[in-house]
Amino acid sequence: MTKEINITIENKLVMEKRDMNIYHHATRSAHMISFDSSITLPFKPVSEDDYLHISIVSGPGRLKGNCFVNLPSWINFELSSAGDATIDHLGDRTLLKIPPGPPVWQLKMTRSLTSPVDQPSYRVTIGDNQLEYK
């Protein structure tokens, strides 16, 4: 089992043109990524005091459309949202659908020591177009 993997966070909020804040606990580093950009970070198990925290930059105004978060199904997550988010399991992926409204949602991701990781890298995509995930 791989102890450390790489995880790429992709900001595909091109219609909304929103930036994202990402905090990586193991390195105590904060990053802001622009729409249509990405960042790759090392991701260790939560037992090694690691997690990622993702949020949307709040201005200007409300999100006009749905926001979709596509992540590997083995990721443990906590979602805080002002609206009713839906969760769909699609094979080896999990799709979170966050409804339009104030951009106040936050996502905390962790990895269990027993997560079935079999690749050196994975990706998490946050976007405003569900067609990217079909």
Side-chain angles (χ1 to χ4, degrees):
M1 179 176 308
T2 306
K3 198 162 191 180
E4 181 178 294
I5 60 170
N6 287 323
I7 193 148
T8 300
I9 312 295
E10 299 175 323
N11 181 349
K12 297 290 186 179
L13 293 168
V14 287
M15 291 188 299
E16 295 282 351
K17 295 186 176 20
R18 298 283 179 142
D19 294 344
M20 290 186 335
N21 295 313
I22 299 171
Y23 173 73
H24 183 221
H25 188 69
T27 60
R28 308 292 196 268
S29 60
H31 309 273
M32 183 181 288
I33 58 172
S34 300
F35 63 91
D36 213 15
S37 297
S38 65
I39 187 169
T40 301
L41 299 165
F43 197 37
K44 297 177 185 174
V46 70
S47 61
E48 295 185 29
D49 199 29
D50 198 7
Y51 66 84
L52 291 168
H53 187 272
I54 301 172
S55 62
I56 300 289
V57 173
S58 61
R62 300 167 59 87
L63 294 171
K64 295 177 181 86
N66 290 319
C67 186
F68 299 94
V69 181
N70 183 330
L71 46 116
S73 61
W74 52 261
I75 286 183
N76 299 323
F77 64 89
E78 296 174 26
L79 177 67
S80 170
S81 173
D84 293 329
T86 58
I87 301 169
D88 288 325
H89 294 283
L90 309 165
D92 64 346
R93 306 293 293 178
T94 300
L95 181 67
L96 309 175
K97 179 181 170 186
I98 303 164
V104 294
W105 65 263
Q106 298 180 32
L107 178 68
K108 179 180 177 183
M109 299 185 313
T110 59
R111 180 181 146 214
S112 151
L113 188 58
T114 59
S115 296
V117 295
D118 57 0
Q119 303 175 66
S121 64
Y122 289 87
R123 69 182 177 88
V124 171
T125 305
I126 294 96
D128 45 25
N129 183 352
Q130 186 176 11
L131 295 178
E132 294 178 22
Y133 309 115
K134 298 231 182 220

